PDB file of all heavy atoms in Angstrom:
ATOM      1  N   GLU W 376       7.229  15.938  12.792  1.00  0.00           N
ATOM      2  CA  GLU W 376       5.867  16.353  12.556  1.00  0.00           C
ATOM      3  C   GLU W 376       4.952  15.177  12.198  1.00  0.00           C
ATOM      4  O   GLU W 376       3.826  15.088  12.669  1.00  0.00           O
ATOM      5  CB  GLU W 376       5.836  17.422  11.412  1.00  0.00           C
ATOM      6  CG  GLU W 376       6.585  18.646  11.729  1.00  0.00           C
ATOM      7  CD  GLU W 376       6.941  19.508  10.517  1.00  0.00           C
ATOM      8  OE1 GLU W 376       7.126  18.958   9.437  1.00  0.00           O
ATOM      9  OE2 GLU W 376       7.047  20.740  10.691  1.00  0.00           O
ATOM     10  N   ALA W 377       5.546  14.236  11.382  1.00  0.00           N
ATOM     11  CA  ALA W 377       4.765  13.049  11.060  1.00  0.00           C
ATOM     12  C   ALA W 377       4.463  12.199  12.226  1.00  0.00           C
ATOM     13  O   ALA W 377       3.398  11.609  12.361  1.00  0.00           O
ATOM     14  CB  ALA W 377       5.527  12.250  10.035  1.00  0.00           C
ATOM     15  N   GLU W 378       5.397  12.155  13.208  1.00  0.00           N
ATOM     16  CA  GLU W 378       5.175  11.387  14.407  1.00  0.00           C
ATOM     17  C   GLU W 378       4.024  11.994  15.247  1.00  0.00           C
ATOM     18  O   GLU W 378       3.196  11.218  15.815  1.00  0.00           O
ATOM     19  CB  GLU W 378       6.464  11.325  15.257  1.00  0.00           C
ATOM     20  CG  GLU W 378       7.509  10.427  14.649  1.00  0.00           C
ATOM     21  CD  GLU W 378       8.877  10.523  15.364  1.00  0.00           C
ATOM     22  OE1 GLU W 378       9.056  11.501  16.147  1.00  0.00           O
ATOM     23  OE2 GLU W 378       9.702   9.647  15.123  1.00  0.00           O
ATOM     24  N   ARG W 379       3.928  13.302  15.341  1.00  0.00           N
ATOM     25  CA  ARG W 379       2.793  13.915  16.008  1.00  0.00           C
ATOM     26  C   ARG W 379       1.465  13.659  15.270  1.00  0.00           C
ATOM     27  O   ARG W 379       0.451  13.373  15.915  1.00  0.00           O
ATOM     28  CB  ARG W 379       3.034  15.410  16.175  1.00  0.00           C
ATOM     29  CG  ARG W 379       4.117  15.728  17.193  1.00  0.00           C
ATOM     30  CD  ARG W 379       4.084  17.253  17.496  1.00  0.00           C
ATOM     31  NE  ARG W 379       4.564  18.061  16.407  1.00  0.00           N
ATOM     32  CZ  ARG W 379       5.811  18.354  16.113  1.00  0.00           C
ATOM     33  NH1 ARG W 379       6.783  17.921  16.884  1.00  0.00           N
ATOM     34  NH2 ARG W 379       6.104  19.151  15.074  1.00  0.00           N
ATOM     35  N   MET W 380       1.556  13.747  13.976  1.00  0.00           N
ATOM     36  CA  MET W 380       0.348  13.369  13.189  1.00  0.00           C
ATOM     37  C   MET W 380      -0.106  11.938  13.457  1.00  0.00           C
ATOM     38  O   MET W 380      -1.298  11.670  13.592  1.00  0.00           O
ATOM     39  CB  MET W 380       0.622  13.576  11.687  1.00  0.00           C
ATOM     40  CG  MET W 380       0.770  15.046  11.262  1.00  0.00           C
ATOM     41  SD  MET W 380       1.275  15.141   9.507  1.00  0.00           S
ATOM     42  CE  MET W 380      -0.124  14.385   8.677  1.00  0.00           C
ATOM     43  N   ALA W 381       0.847  11.022  13.460  1.00  0.00           N
ATOM     44  CA  ALA W 381       0.557   9.634  13.701  1.00  0.00           C
ATOM     45  C   ALA W 381      -0.070   9.363  15.110  1.00  0.00           C
ATOM     46  O   ALA W 381      -0.986   8.551  15.243  1.00  0.00           O
ATOM     47  CB  ALA W 381       1.759   8.788  13.491  1.00  0.00           C
ATOM     48  N   GLU W 382       0.385  10.130  16.087  1.00  0.00           N
ATOM     49  CA  GLU W 382      -0.157  10.018  17.425  1.00  0.00           C
ATOM     50  C   GLU W 382      -1.630  10.410  17.352  1.00  0.00           C
ATOM     51  O   GLU W 382      -2.501   9.711  17.992  1.00  0.00           O
ATOM     52  CB  GLU W 382       0.608  10.935  18.390  1.00  0.00           C
ATOM     53  CG  GLU W 382       1.991  10.388  18.739  1.00  0.00           C
ATOM     54  CD  GLU W 382       2.752  11.346  19.635  1.00  0.00           C
ATOM     55  OE1 GLU W 382       2.169  12.362  20.091  1.00  0.00           O
ATOM     56  OE2 GLU W 382       3.967  11.085  19.931  1.00  0.00           O
ATOM     57  N   GLU W 383      -1.976  11.545  16.768  1.00  0.00           N
ATOM     58  CA  GLU W 383      -3.328  12.033  16.684  1.00  0.00           C
ATOM     59  C   GLU W 383      -4.217  11.073  15.936  1.00  0.00           C
ATOM     60  O   GLU W 383      -5.323  10.740  16.319  1.00  0.00           O
ATOM     61  CB  GLU W 383      -3.419  13.422  16.144  1.00  0.00           C
ATOM     62  CG  GLU W 383      -2.753  14.485  17.007  1.00  0.00           C
ATOM     63  CD  GLU W 383      -2.922  15.883  16.467  1.00  0.00           C
ATOM     64  OE1 GLU W 383      -3.880  16.054  15.636  1.00  0.00           O
ATOM     65  OE2 GLU W 383      -2.148  16.767  16.791  1.00  0.00           O
ATOM     66  N   LEU W 384      -3.766  10.646  14.732  1.00  0.00           N
ATOM     67  CA  LEU W 384      -4.570   9.810  13.887  1.00  0.00           C
ATOM     68  C   LEU W 384      -4.804   8.442  14.454  1.00  0.00           C
ATOM     69  O   LEU W 384      -5.921   7.919  14.429  1.00  0.00           O
ATOM     70  CB  LEU W 384      -3.917   9.702  12.499  1.00  0.00           C
ATOM     71  CG  LEU W 384      -4.659   8.890  11.456  1.00  0.00           C
ATOM     72  CD1 LEU W 384      -6.091   9.353  11.240  1.00  0.00           C
ATOM     73  CD2 LEU W 384      -3.870   8.883  10.110  1.00  0.00           C
ATOM     74  N   SER W 385      -3.729   7.841  15.003  1.00  0.00           N
ATOM     75  CA  SER W 385      -3.880   6.481  15.593  1.00  0.00           C
ATOM     76  C   SER W 385      -4.810   6.576  16.863  1.00  0.00           C
ATOM     77  O   SER W 385      -5.617   5.644  17.090  1.00  0.00           O
ATOM     78  CB  SER W 385      -2.553   5.923  15.997  1.00  0.00           C
ATOM     79  OG  SER W 385      -1.857   6.691  16.943  1.00  0.00           O
ATOM     80  N   ALA W 386      -4.734   7.613  17.613  1.00  0.00           N
ATOM     81  CA  ALA W 386      -5.674   7.769  18.757  1.00  0.00           C
ATOM     82  C   ALA W 386      -7.085   7.881  18.281  1.00  0.00           C
ATOM     83  O   ALA W 386      -8.004   7.319  18.904  1.00  0.00           O
ATOM     84  CB  ALA W 386      -5.275   9.006  19.584  1.00  0.00           C
ATOM     85  N   TYR W 387      -7.322   8.593  17.189  1.00  0.00           N
ATOM     86  CA  TYR W 387      -8.720   8.749  16.654  1.00  0.00           C
ATOM     87  C   TYR W 387      -9.219   7.378  16.169  1.00  0.00           C
ATOM     88  O   TYR W 387     -10.344   6.988  16.434  1.00  0.00           O
ATOM     89  CB  TYR W 387      -8.628   9.752  15.498  1.00  0.00           C
ATOM     90  CG  TYR W 387      -9.975   9.891  14.813  1.00  0.00           C
ATOM     91  CD1 TYR W 387     -10.900  10.774  15.317  1.00  0.00           C
ATOM     92  CD2 TYR W 387     -10.335   9.224  13.651  1.00  0.00           C
ATOM     93  CE1 TYR W 387     -12.190  10.937  14.720  1.00  0.00           C
ATOM     94  CE2 TYR W 387     -11.520   9.335  13.024  1.00  0.00           C
ATOM     95  CZ  TYR W 387     -12.470  10.240  13.499  1.00  0.00           C
ATOM     96  OH  TYR W 387     -13.672  10.370  12.901  1.00  0.00           O
ATOM     97  N   ILE W 388      -8.348   6.598  15.496  1.00  0.00           N
ATOM     98  CA  ILE W 388      -8.777   5.283  15.006  1.00  0.00           C
ATOM     99  C   ILE W 388      -9.060   4.336  16.134  1.00  0.00           C
ATOM    100  O   ILE W 388     -10.060   3.625  16.119  1.00  0.00           O
ATOM    101  CB  ILE W 388      -7.712   4.726  13.996  1.00  0.00           C
ATOM    102  CG1 ILE W 388      -7.657   5.600  12.754  1.00  0.00           C
ATOM    103  CG2 ILE W 388      -8.028   3.304  13.630  1.00  0.00           C
ATOM    104  CD1 ILE W 388      -6.502   5.232  11.846  1.00  0.00           C
ATOM    105  N   GLU W 389      -8.159   4.341  17.140  1.00  0.00           N
ATOM    106  CA  GLU W 389      -8.393   3.475  18.332  1.00  0.00           C
ATOM    107  C   GLU W 389      -9.695   3.814  18.989  1.00  0.00           C
ATOM    108  O   GLU W 389     -10.385   2.952  19.497  1.00  0.00           O
ATOM    109  CB  GLU W 389      -7.246   3.581  19.265  1.00  0.00           C
ATOM    110  CG  GLU W 389      -5.906   2.985  18.771  1.00  0.00           C
ATOM    111  CD  GLU W 389      -5.882   1.466  18.855  1.00  0.00           C
ATOM    112  OE1 GLU W 389      -6.947   0.821  18.786  1.00  0.00           O
ATOM    113  OE2 GLU W 389      -4.756   0.900  18.988  1.00  0.00           O
ATOM    114  N   ALA W 390     -10.069   5.069  19.016  1.00  0.00           N
ATOM    115  CA  ALA W 390     -11.304   5.522  19.722  1.00  0.00           C
ATOM    116  C   ALA W 390     -12.547   5.027  18.962  1.00  0.00           C
ATOM    117  O   ALA W 390     -13.628   5.045  19.556  1.00  0.00           O
ATOM    118  CB  ALA W 390     -11.313   7.026  19.787  1.00  0.00           C
ATOM    119  N   LEU W 391     -12.435   4.542  17.768  1.00  0.00           N
ATOM    120  CA  LEU W 391     -13.529   3.998  17.036  1.00  0.00           C
ATOM    121  C   LEU W 391     -13.940   2.630  17.608  1.00  0.00           C
ATOM    122  O   LEU W 391     -15.037   2.162  17.282  1.00  0.00           O
ATOM    123  CB  LEU W 391     -13.263   3.897  15.563  1.00  0.00           C
ATOM    124  CG  LEU W 391     -12.993   5.231  14.808  1.00  0.00           C
ATOM    125  CD1 LEU W 391     -12.607   4.965  13.335  1.00  0.00           C
ATOM    126  CD2 LEU W 391     -14.254   6.081  14.865  1.00  0.00           C
ATOM    127  N   GLY W 392     -13.066   2.062  18.397  1.00  0.00           N
ATOM    128  CA  GLY W 392     -13.373   0.781  19.081  1.00  0.00           C
ATOM    129  C   GLY W 392     -12.690  -0.424  18.412  1.00  0.00           C
ATOM    130  O   GLY W 392     -12.364  -0.389  17.278  1.00  0.00           O
ATOM    131  N   GLU W 393     -12.587  -1.513  19.215  1.00  0.00           N
ATOM    132  CA  GLU W 393     -11.934  -2.665  18.722  1.00  0.00           C
ATOM    133  C   GLU W 393     -12.724  -3.374  17.674  1.00  0.00           C
ATOM    134  O   GLU W 393     -12.181  -4.075  16.821  1.00  0.00           O
ATOM    135  CB  GLU W 393     -11.682  -3.612  19.945  1.00  0.00           C
ATOM    136  CG  GLU W 393     -10.937  -4.905  19.642  1.00  0.00           C
ATOM    137  CD  GLU W 393      -9.538  -4.645  19.091  1.00  0.00           C
ATOM    138  OE1 GLU W 393      -8.942  -3.647  19.554  1.00  0.00           O
ATOM    139  OE2 GLU W 393      -9.045  -5.502  18.358  1.00  0.00           O
ATOM    140  N   ASP W 394     -14.090  -3.172  17.658  1.00  0.00           N
ATOM    141  CA  ASP W 394     -14.952  -3.881  16.713  1.00  0.00           C
ATOM    142  C   ASP W 394     -14.626  -3.518  15.241  1.00  0.00           C
ATOM    143  O   ASP W 394     -14.951  -4.329  14.319  1.00  0.00           O
ATOM    144  CB  ASP W 394     -16.396  -3.544  16.962  1.00  0.00           C
ATOM    145  CG  ASP W 394     -16.933  -4.278  18.149  1.00  0.00           C
ATOM    146  OD1 ASP W 394     -16.217  -5.226  18.669  1.00  0.00           O
ATOM    147  OD2 ASP W 394     -18.073  -3.988  18.628  1.00  0.00           O
ATOM    148  N   ILE W 395     -13.918  -2.377  15.012  1.00  0.00           N
ATOM    149  CA  ILE W 395     -13.657  -1.988  13.643  1.00  0.00           C
ATOM    150  C   ILE W 395     -12.664  -2.946  13.007  1.00  0.00           C
ATOM    151  O   ILE W 395     -12.569  -3.048  11.784  1.00  0.00           O
ATOM    152  CB  ILE W 395     -13.128  -0.574  13.501  1.00  0.00           C
ATOM    153  CG1 ILE W 395     -11.693  -0.439  14.087  1.00  0.00           C
ATOM    154  CG2 ILE W 395     -14.074   0.438  14.149  1.00  0.00           C
ATOM    155  CD1 ILE W 395     -11.046   0.905  13.812  1.00  0.00           C
ATOM    156  N   TRP W 396     -11.945  -3.709  13.813  1.00  0.00           N
ATOM    157  CA  TRP W 396     -10.889  -4.592  13.293  1.00  0.00           C
ATOM    158  C   TRP W 396     -11.455  -6.009  13.065  1.00  0.00           C
ATOM    159  O   TRP W 396     -10.695  -6.916  12.749  1.00  0.00           O
ATOM    160  CB  TRP W 396      -9.743  -4.639  14.225  1.00  0.00           C
ATOM    161  CG  TRP W 396      -9.091  -3.295  14.504  1.00  0.00           C
ATOM    162  CD1 TRP W 396      -9.171  -2.570  15.645  1.00  0.00           C
ATOM    163  CD2 TRP W 396      -8.388  -2.500  13.560  1.00  0.00           C
ATOM    164  NE1 TRP W 396      -8.499  -1.372  15.520  1.00  0.00           N
ATOM    165  CE2 TRP W 396      -7.978  -1.305  14.235  1.00  0.00           C
ATOM    166  CE3 TRP W 396      -7.961  -2.667  12.250  1.00  0.00           C
ATOM    167  CZ2 TRP W 396      -7.236  -0.324  13.627  1.00  0.00           C
ATOM    168  CZ3 TRP W 396      -7.238  -1.695  11.604  1.00  0.00           C
ATOM    169  CH2 TRP W 396      -6.871  -0.517  12.276  1.00  0.00           C
TER     170      TRP W 396
END
Side-chain angles (χ1 to χ4, degrees):
E376 296 163 330
E378 288 173 344
R379 289 192 291 272
M380 289 174 63
E382 288 177 3
E383 293 186 21
L384 181 56
S385 61
Y387 178 83
I388 294 173
E389 290 283 29
L391 296 176
E393 183 64 29
D394 283 349
I395 70 171
W396 303 109

